[in-house]
Amino acid sequence: EEAVLAWLKGGGRADATYERGGVSGITLLMGAAHHRHERVVELLMRHGAAVNLQDSVGGTALMYGAASGHERVVDLLIRRGAEINLQSDGGTALMMAAFFNHPAVMLRMLRAGADAAAREEKGKTALQWAKEKGNAECVKVLAEAAATADSRAGAGGASSGAAAAAAAVDAP
């Protein structure tokens, strides 16, 4: 935290980027979210870090936070305007949480409006990823979200919830 603050006070940009593993355009905010550094995320945001920048494969700070499973970082990014349904080459933040087995993060994102019916470039949804990886708790979260969406739509009515559509299409 002190090193980042010193960097910023010395004229460093909050949106400075770096490259790692063949991915370029990774921002300091993405790195802080990935490494679960909540205070650094807050610090960077206070200094003007853009929350929705995407790296060379489309990853965002929210996706990095969701993949690492840090609920408070995910909450902070959502409160600060992170676009919950942005797509990367690997899908959405919800898909990242499903893939890496972070059901609590998924629940927070669903409550914030994450689209459970969204599909990544190969056509998979968060539910399909959760099932494929054997992440039973994530499957349960998505099934409960679909049931809630169905009940809100009313008996016999068309569901307005994307989660319900995803559950119907993703049956095993």
Side-chain angles (χ1 to χ4, degrees):
E1 182 178 357
E2 293 84 22
V4 173
L5 185 56
W7 159 263
L8 294 169
K9 284 183 176 182
R13 295 180 308 112
D15 287 327
T17 62
Y18 60 96
E19 183 175 335
R20 176 152 299 143
V23 177
S24 62
I26 300 170
T27 66
L28 297 177
L29 185 62
M30 291 172 197
H34 174 73
H35 292 289
R36 308 166 59 99
H37 294 303
E38 180 181 356
R39 290 172 45 163
V40 175
V41 168
E42 287 186 60
L43 177 66
L44 289 165
M45 300 286 289
R46 280 196 314 269
H47 283 83
V51 71
N52 289 314
L53 290 179
Q54 292 182 280
D55 64 22
S56 63
V57 294
T60 65
L62 182 61
M63 291 174 195
Y64 281 90
S68 71
H70 196 285
E71 296 171 52
R72 290 174 53 160
V73 166
V74 167
D75 278 344
L76 177 61
L77 292 167
I78 290 170
R79 283 194 319 269
R80 295 290 182 98
E83 172 52 53
I84 202 157
N85 292 312
L86 277 178
Q87 290 264 349
S88 72
D89 290 355
T92 64
L94 184 67
M95 291 174 198
M96 307 284 172
F99 185 88
F100 290 107
N101 198 24
H102 300 301
V105 169
M106 290 180 61
L107 187 58
R108 289 173 188 263
M109 287 190 293
L110 287 165
R111 288 179 180 156
D115 182 1
R119 294 179 179 277
E120 44 92 277
E121 64 185 19
K122 294 179 183 169
K124 289 185 181 178
T125 64
L127 182 59
Q128 288 172 316
W129 276 116
K131 285 181 177 179
E132 185 175 304
K133 299 300 286 180
N135 299 335
E137 284 298 311
C138 291
V139 171
K140 182 180 175 188
V141 165
L142 289 163
E144 288 172 0
T148 300
D150 282 342
S151 69
R152 285 188 190 140
S159 172
S160 63
V169 172
D170 292 334

